[in-house]
């Protein structure tokens, strides 16, 4: 394993990356990054204080004029070099991501890291295609055009489930558009966000363009959101914390981008390819040990396929190999922490009182934060396992009769991040894609994402888009520039104010 390194040595200078270098936090509170597969601490660091946030914001503010003034071509070149550094370090990134999250190494290696490299390459290209509306004479006496300008310092807050990809989704569109950024990763998982910022510096991005403060949500996070020199807040995390972030951002009149929780439905019509739906449901419910905001969590299966679907999913779940995240054969790693494992177990244990746990529903006996793939049936639509975000390897399967009912059930939670529809009938899937209220609807698949396509929610899943050219809408502001073409002092419209000509 040539890509393994000693985390304590790599980050001995601290877990804050400000103005192009690592430094220690100054909050006086220490946090430990834990390997959830073993429960062993791998790195102790001092969390960021509010003063550390101030220093990072000042660095980003100082770097803003130079970076905003760089040409799109210059920013694009820097991002291309950045993608190259990330690709060279792919193995180290995969190691660190698997270590801090417990992700199976095949997932980090084949999904998290190449997705991040591809995102970086995408935004390197997109940086040169930032466009305003075309110029024109919308009044006979004037020429108008639209400038798309960066906003300033962006303060971003990210969750622990995909730390590297979340750092990329926040940082890349912001800096490609000419903003500078202060990113606060989750306390549990700072390592790959710090490495990402280091790689940006190594690729030649100016100091202060990408800064990372690793602090607690309540202190460093809230201070970043409310900071007067931060022009925009972009947040990915739970809906509960998103509401708090929205309050602070709104009270300081900031641009706001919220990517929140999900409870994705997986709707199987009675003409679907059953084998494909079963494989899709197991993969999409267990990806990242179910800690994926778009994971399939509620499968609604039309009555004729219901029994076969339930037994197919149970059989396939039984083949999933839990184990050491660094074993290439491991399918399912631990949850992010023992606390998260206990939270998931709490949902399942309470469900035993009103539903049937068909398979799973227990933790294997080892020191890691593991939980077996779990299938639940018979839960009422208004029960918590159907309505709340569990964020673990748990799939609930429920039957439906008419297409109307299947679509209504799919829409019946507060969330609207993602969904899928399974059928061979283009009219049925067409209707589902139109009527399901979610930011993404897959047809006969569930999970794949693309750098070119937007990701973002409807309803309580938030607003704003990550990835794709749409994210530039979030990270730029639009200015109308209007030129007088007449060179006349007493303009025609002045008569409405004084004199009559
Ligand atoms: P979380 O909301 O607990 O924490 C997210 C981040 O917010 C962390 O960095 C945390 O330190 C910070 N934070 C906590 N309290 C804060 C406060 N008062 N002010 C400012 N920041 C604060 O979420 P989590 O448990 O880390 O991640 C899981 C959640 O993220 C799930 O709900 C999941 O659906 C969501 N998520 C959404 C998307 C998406 O694209 N919609 C993607 C990934 C994860």
């Amino acid at each position: 394993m040539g890509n393994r390194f000693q985390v304590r040595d790599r980050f001995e200078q601290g877990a804050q990356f400000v103005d192009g270098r690592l430094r220690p936090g100054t909050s006086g509170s220490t946090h430990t990054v834990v390997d959830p597969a073993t429960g062993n601490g791998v790195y102790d660091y001092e969390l960021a204080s509010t003063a550390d946030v101030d220093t990072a914001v000042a660095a980003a503010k100082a770097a803003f004029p130079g970076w905003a003034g760089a040409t799109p071509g210059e920013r694009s070149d820097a991002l291309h070099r950045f993608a190259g550094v990330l690709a060279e370090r792919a193995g180290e990134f995969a190691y660190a991501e698997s270590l801090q999250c417990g992700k199976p190494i095949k997932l980090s290696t084949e999904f998290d890291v190449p997705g991040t490299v591809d995102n970086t390459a995408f935004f390197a290209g997109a940086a040169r295609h930032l466009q305003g509306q075309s110029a024109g004479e919308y009044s006979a006496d004037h020429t108008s055009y639209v400038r798309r300008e960066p906003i300033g310092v962006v303060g971003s807050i990210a969750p622990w489930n995909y730390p590297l990809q979340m750092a990329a989704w926040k940082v890349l569109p912001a800096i490609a558009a000419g903003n500078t950024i202060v990113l606060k990763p989750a306390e549990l998982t700072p390592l790959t966000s710090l490495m990402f910022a280091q790689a940006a510096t190594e690729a030649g991005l100016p100091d202060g363009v990408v800064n990372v403060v690793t602090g607690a949500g309540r202190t460093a996070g809230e201070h970043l959101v409310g900071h007067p020199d931060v022009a925009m807040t972009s947040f990915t995390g739970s809906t509960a914390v998103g509401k708090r972030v929205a309050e602070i951002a709104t009270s300081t009149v900031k641009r706001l981008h919220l990517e929140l929780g999900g409870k994705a439905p997986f709707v199987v019509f009675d003409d679907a390819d059953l084998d494909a739906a079963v494989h899709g449901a197991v993969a999409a419910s267990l990806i990242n040990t179910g800690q994926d905001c778009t994971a399939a969590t509620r499968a609604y299966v039309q009555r004729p396929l219901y029994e076969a679907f339930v037994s197919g999913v149970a059989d396939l779940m039984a083949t999933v190999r839990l184990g050491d995240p660094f074993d290439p054969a491991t399918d399912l790693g631990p949850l992010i922490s023992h606390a998260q494992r206990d939270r998931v177990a709490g949902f399942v244990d309470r469900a035993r009182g009103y539903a049937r746990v068909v398979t799973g529903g227990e933790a294997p006996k080892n020191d890691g934060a593991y939980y077996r793939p779990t299938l639940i049936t018979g839960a009422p639509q208004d029960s918590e396992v159907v309505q709340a975000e569990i964020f673990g390897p748990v799939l609930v399967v429920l039957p439906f009769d008419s297409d109307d009912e299947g679509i209504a059930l799919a829409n019946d939670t507060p969330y609207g991040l993602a969904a899928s529809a399974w059928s061979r009938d283009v009219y049925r899937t067409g209707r589902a894609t139109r009527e399901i209220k979610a930011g993404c609807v897959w047809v006969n698949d569930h999970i794949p994402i693309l750098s070119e396509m937007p990701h973002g929610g409807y309803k309580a899943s938030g607003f704003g888009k990550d990835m794709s050219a749409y994210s530039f809408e979030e990270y730029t502001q639009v200015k109308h520039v209007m030129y007088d073409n007449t060179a006349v002092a007493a303009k025609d419209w002045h008569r409405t104010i004084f004199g009559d000509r």
Side-chain angles (χ1 to χ4, degrees):
M1 271 296 211
N3 294 309
R4 295 195 179 200
F5 56 85
Q6 275 302 326
V7 175
R8 290 189 172 93
D9 295 345
R10 175 68 68 96
F11 298 107
E12 73 175 331
Q13 292 155 293
Q16 317 302 326
F17 189 84
V18 176
D19 215 8
R21 67 180 178 85
L22 286 175
R23 30 181 118 190
T26 63
S27 67
S29 332
T30 301
H31 191 87
T32 301
V33 177
V34 173
D35 170 359
T38 60
N40 296 331
V42 297
Y43 177 56
D44 302 318
Y45 68 96
E46 193 162 340
L47 290 162
S49 63
T50 56
D52 297 329
V53 173
D54 291 340
T55 309
V57 171
K61 187 178 176 185
F64 177 70
W67 184 244
T71 64
E74 288 165 342
R75 289 201 291 267
S76 172
D77 285 350
L79 286 164
H80 275 301
R81 291 194 301 272
F82 187 10
V85 174
L86 294 170
E88 276 167 26
R89 301 272 150 80
E92 289 188 2
F93 274 97
Y95 167 69
E97 197 74 330
S98 283
L99 183 69
Q100 66 180 353
C101 301
K103 279 177 205 277
I105 192 71
K106 64 181 175 180
L107 184 67
S108 313
T109 306
E110 295 176 29
F111 181 60
D112 298 78
V113 177
T116 300
V117 173
D118 188 65
N119 246 266
T120 312
F122 170 80
F123 280 107
R128 301 185 89 142
H129 293 279
L130 256 183
Q131 289 173 350
Q133 206 179 335
S134 56
E137 284 68 49
Y138 300 92
S139 109
D141 292 345
H142 304 91
T143 296
S144 285
Y145 63 85
V146 166
R147 291 171 58 84
R148 198 171 264 287
E149 298 182 341
I151 297 171
V153 176
V154 175
S156 285
I157 297 183
W160 44 255
N161 60 338
Y162 290 103
L164 176 60
Q165 293 200 83
M166 293 303 106
W169 290 12
K170 299 282 159 218
V171 169
L172 295 167
I175 64 172
N179 303 284
T180 57
I181 190 163
V182 177
L183 169 73
K184 194 201 86 61
E187 304 88 304
L188 296 171
T189 54
L191 304 181
T192 47
S193 305
L194 294 166
M195 291 166 65
F196 188 72
Q198 285 178 309
T201 297
E202 196 179 321
L205 274 85
D207 291 351
V209 171
V210 180
N211 306 278
V212 176
V213 291
T214 309
R218 281 278 172 77
T219 50
E222 294 200 7
H223 192 65
L224 180 62
V225 177
H227 202 291
D229 289 335
V230 170
M232 170 178 172
T233 297
S234 81
F235 172 83
T236 298
S238 61
T239 298
V241 175
K243 287 179 184 170
R244 173 75 186 132
V245 165
E247 276 170 19
I248 302 170
T250 308
S251 68
T252 51
V253 196
K254 287 190 170 58
R255 176 79 70 101
L256 183 59
H257 175 187
L258 294 176
E259 297 285 352
L260 307 177
K263 187 76 183 173
F266 184 105
V267 183
V268 183
F269 295 99
D270 58 12
D271 65 337
D273 176 337
L274 179 66
D275 198 32
V278 166
H279 279 81
V282 174
S285 61
L286 299 185
I287 183 165
N288 210 35
T289 318
Q291 302 161 118
D292 181 309
C293 50
T294 63
T297 56
R298 306 175 281 141
Y300 297 103
V301 184
Q302 211 154 19
R303 195 84 55 184
L305 294 188
Y306 177 74
E307 293 297 339
F309 182 88
V310 168
S311 64
V313 167
D315 290 349
L316 197 52
M317 278 185 169
T319 69
V320 168
R321 297 160 297 185
L322 275 70
D324 173 4
F326 291 103
D327 179 343
T330 291
D331 298 319
L332 197 76
L335 288 128
I336 189 68
S337 64
H338 290 76
Q340 180 68 9
R341 194 264 311 273
D342 294 347
R343 191 177 162 273
V344 170
F347 276 104
V348 177
D349 290 343
R350 289 189 295 280
R352 291 181 210 280
Y354 57 80
R356 179 168 169 247
V357 178
V358 177
T359 186
E362 58 170 10
K365 294 192 180 11
N366 60 31
D367 293 334
Y370 290 87
Y371 198 74
R372 294 202 189 281
T374 299
L375 172 61
I376 295 177
T377 59
Q381 174 65 18
D382 62 358
S383 61
E384 67 167 1
V385 286
V386 179
Q387 293 292 323
E389 192 177 37
I390 299 174
F391 235 51
V394 179
L395 178 68
V396 181
V397 184
L398 300 173
F400 69 92
D401 291 304
S402 68
D403 289 20
D404 285 353
E405 188 193 1
I407 290 174
L409 290 167
N411 282 329
D412 182 27
T413 74
Y415 296 109
L417 188 58
S420 63
W422 296 73
S423 164
R424 292 183 167 99
D425 180 337
V426 70
Y427 294 102
R428 279 177 136 172
T429 54
R431 178 180 174 202
T433 60
R434 288 191 301 278
E435 295 187 12
I436 293 178
K437 305 275 182 287
C440 171
V441 182
W442 290 281
V443 175
N444 295 327
D445 206 343
H446 191 122
I447 286 297
I449 51 174
L450 299 164
S451 297
E452 291 83 353
M453 289 292 132
H455 168 94
Y458 281 23
K459 296 162 61 183
S461 295
F463 45 80
K465 299 295 175 192
D466 282 323
M467 301 197 292
S468 80
Y470 288 95
S471 60
F472 284 135
E473 305 284 336
E474 316 295 326
Y475 292 98
T476 53
Q477 49 197 350
V478 164
K479 180 183 281 175
H480 171 206
V481 178
M482 192 173 192
Y483 276 86
D484 168 62
N485 293 336
T486 64
V488 172
K491 301 190 194 309
D492 194 35
W493 70 269
H494 292 175
R495 73 176 183 276
T496 59
I497 316 298
F498 52 81
D500 2 86
R501 286 186 302 282

